[in-house]
Amino acid sequence: MKKSVVFIGGILLAISGMLAYISPDKLSLAVVSIMGVIVMLGFVFGIIPLLQYIGAFKQGTENLEGLKKINSDNLWVPLARIEPFFGQKKIDDMFSEYIEKAAEQREQGVVISDIENVINDDSISVRSWRGVVLQIAGTLTALGLLGTFLGLATGISGVKYGSLEDTVAGVETMLRGITTAFYTSIAGVILSIIFNAVYRIVWNMTLRQLQLFIERFHIIVHPEANEFIKAKQYLNSEQMVGYLSRMHDMGAKLLNMTNGTESQEQRIMLEVLTSVRKNEFTFSLEPVCRLSDRSIIEAAVNLRWEHDQLGVISPERYMAVVEMNGYIVKLACTMWEQACEAQKSWYEKGLNPVPLIFKISKTEILSMDIASHMAQLIEKHGLAPRDLELAVDALAYLVCSDEAKELEGQLIQKGFKVSIYGFNGDFLGFPESRADEVRLDLNALESDENIPDVFDHAASRRINLTACEIDSAKQLALVRKAGCEYGQGKHLYEELTLSAYEKLMKYS
């Protein structure tokens, strides 16, 4: 790294010095000298830190390779003991912050954040003055133009009309001014091109080394959060299929009475009813947070089935069945009741809870008076409308448009915040709505590359978008760069049990 600093610094200093040395006059010398000072300041505060970061990420990658020799399934402890890990103070400070955060998340039982949330191109940009350094090339060109105008002004001011000698002297002064003008412009362009090229090469090398480190970190220490989640969902699904295939005698009788598809639905519904009697249905909370600092601003209430033998069962395995026969309404009402009781208890404990989001599907809209039911709930538990947010399914605006819009108006009139969830990014089919917020389902987009366009279109229509289902660091980076302030997803927080959520509130 020291050799690179000396080599690059020597080149920039030599070129700046040479241009100053061959300056045709004092004015051009002064302008070129200022350019040289700016170039060297850019080198000291912009390029040298990047060269240090390149060396730091190389050292970090080497330390990760050393961890592979340790025969352990948990490398977090030996990882934290390597000091300094990068050998560069600013990066080591960020890494220490990440290690402490990861330790807290392991204790709380939530998904451990990816390292990109702390060490990324944005954090490097801030610490290497990238925003300022990127202006240097333009500043050098501008100084060249300034020297041009100064040279022309000096030359023209020296022109005199009178005797032949005065005219000749004036022409000589003007030519010297023109020489100054052209020289400063040429020097500014040369320094601008060279500095810009060197900086961009070093910046891209830094990003490359950062990405290599992150890839090795995911492979050796901590696979991405969505890999854990997918594996867990797959195992959960396989367990339930195996369990349902070995159901009790009632399930076997139903199997003989009906065809295969009907029997599977009957078996699932039978098990749901049994679990309801056992009070196995409760709710989980999925935090919605401010993307800049991950502070929780809301929490979505989701149905949770904690089976006595299988543990938590994914909604994908039973939701279609309970929605088809309308039983989802009873489950939803039970879940809302429990959530309001919890909200009230949090206030009593002095925890200052954030608003809870209740999702309203088309089945519930067509089956009950949602607005009256919500008003009764908050009155019963001593809550205010601001303590709840009602998120209406985007599909309801297509299937039962009049009923959905009527419900929206009733809820707004009663003081509730209303949002739309499940939006797929299709603005052609976007409903006319007075909702305060729209929740964009990133999984419904054809590609993550469409994220910037969706947010740009939303901004042009003054639609407040919240990014949902953020499952990877790439998606998080894209929505943040698109200007999104709030988000929700397993990459940020996994769904939390009641006790885990209370614990998280105490830490917040």
Side-chain angles (χ1 to χ4, degrees), residues 398-424:
L398 299 177
V399 178
C400 49
S401 176
D402 293 339
E403 291 81 357
K405 292 178 181 178
E406 181 182 0
L407 170 63
E408 180 184 277
Q410 293 172 347
L411 292 172
I412 292 174
Q413 187 177 10
K414 292 180 181 296
F416 292 100
K417 179 182 177 181
V418 179
S419 62
I420 298 174
Y421 79 93
F423 177 52
N424 62 3

Side-chain angles (χ1 to χ4, degrees), residues 228-330:
F228 281 121
I229 294 162
K230 289 178 181 177
K232 184 177 179 181
Q233 290 177 340
Y234 176 78
L235 178 60
N236 188 38
S237 176
E238 290 296 305
Q239 286 177 329
M240 182 172 183
V241 171
Y243 179 78
L244 290 177
S245 67
R246 300 188 300 273
M247 277 191 63
H248 45 72
D249 296 339
M250 181 63 73
K253 293 178 181 178
L254 287 170
L255 181 62
N256 294 329
M257 293 168 56
T258 60
N259 60 48
T261 303
E262 293 174 339
S263 67
Q264 185 178 13
E265 294 171 356
Q266 292 280 2
R267 284 183 293 171
I268 292 175
M269 195 60 213
L270 178 63
E271 192 64 20
V272 167
L273 295 173
T274 303
S275 294
V276 168
R277 289 195 296 271
K278 295 179 179 179
N279 295 320
E280 292 178 351
F281 276 93
T282 179
F283 68 95
S284 61
L285 292 153
E286 192 169 7
V288 178
C289 65
R290 185 177 286 104
L291 298 182
S292 58
D293 57 7
R294 288 187 75 197
S295 59
I296 298 173
I297 60 166
E298 296 174 317
V301 177
N302 296 325
L303 192 62
R304 182 181 177 90
W305 183 1
E306 295 183 353
H307 198 278
D308 59 352
Q309 296 185 38
L310 298 176
V312 179
I313 295 178
S314 171
E316 297 174 358
R317 303 303 305 170
Y318 63 89
M319 190 59 70
V321 176
V322 295
E323 284 184 345
M324 182 176 60
N325 61 22
Y327 197 73
I328 184 62
V329 177
K330 177 176 176 57

Side-chain angles (χ1 to χ4, degrees), residues 426-438:
D426 180 13
F427 287 95
L428 293 177
F430 190 79
E432 295 182 5
S433 171
R434 297 164 55 196
D436 303 284
E437 194 174 17
V438 177

Side-chain angles (χ1 to χ4, degrees), residues 131-192:
V132 176
V133 175
L134 287 176
Q135 307 304 317
I136 288 179
T139 302
L140 294 173
T141 304
L143 283 173
L145 292 175
L146 177 62
T148 299
F149 292 125
L150 289 174
L152 292 175
T154 302
I156 293 173
S157 65
V159 176
K160 298 179 180 179
Y161 300 99
S163 64
L164 179 61
E165 291 80 5
D166 290 340
T167 302
V168 171
V171 170
E172 290 177 351
T173 302
M174 184 175 66
L175 290 176
R176 284 196 299 271
I178 293 174
T179 301
T180 300
F182 281 111
Y183 184 79
T184 55
S185 292
I186 292 171
V189 171
I190 291 174
L191 288 175
S192 174

Side-chain angles (χ1 to χ4, degrees), residues 3-15 40 43 47 51:
K3 293 181 180 179
S4 299
V5 171
V6 173
F7 178 72
I8 296 175
I11 290 177
L12 295 176
L13 184 61
I15 294 174
M40 296 314 297
F43 171 71
I47 295 178
L51 293 173

